[in-house]
Amino acid sequence: MDYESDFPDHVPPSFDRSKFGEKDVEAKGFNPGLIVLLVVGGLLITFLVGNYVLYMYAQKTLPPRRKKPISKKKLKREKLKQGVSVPGE
């Protein structure tokens, strides 16, 4: 049986000559992996820069934090460690 005579213009995809004939192959479009990498990287950089800007803004505008009040019991203990007599005892 002669297969070439049955399908004269049909070339199987594995033997397609157009793929091998072209020497000037240009990449059409962008690599999807590169696009995802650029988008994720851009979002990460935007997040970090935004956090830094907010931090600097907060440092300038917010009042400084107040220290927690020390309980009287802790105050007495600290003064006893230093050797200072606690008034009232």
Side-chain angles (χ1 to χ4, degrees):
M1 217 178 210
D2 189 14
Y3 291 108
E4 291 178 14
S5 63
D6 292 341
F7 305 104
D9 57 340
H10 185 327
V11 178
S14 60
F15 298 109
D16 192 4
R17 292 182 190 93
S18 65
K19 290 181 184 174
F20 302 111
E22 290 184 33
K23 298 289 182 186
D24 296 333
V25 178
E26 292 184 25
K28 295 177 180 175
F30 292 103
N31 185 356
L34 181 64
I35 293 174
V36 170
L37 186 67
L38 289 174
V39 168
V40 170
L43 289 173
L44 182 66
I45 289 173
T46 304
F47 175 75
L48 292 174
V49 169
N51 272 347
Y52 179 73
V53 169
L54 282 174
Y55 173 75
M56 294 306 290
Y57 175 73
Q59 290 295 314
K60 291 177 183 174
T61 58
L62 291 178
R65 289 173 115 188
R66 281 189 263 144
K67 293 181 181 179
K68 287 184 180 179
I70 301 174
S71 66
K72 290 183 179 180
K73 191 175 184 182
K74 283 186 181 178
L75 191 63
K76 283 182 182 178
R77 193 179 307 138
E78 286 294 321
K79 288 198 175 190
L80 283 173
K81 280 183 184 176
Q82 293 175 0
V84 178
S85 62
V86 181
E89 287 192 8

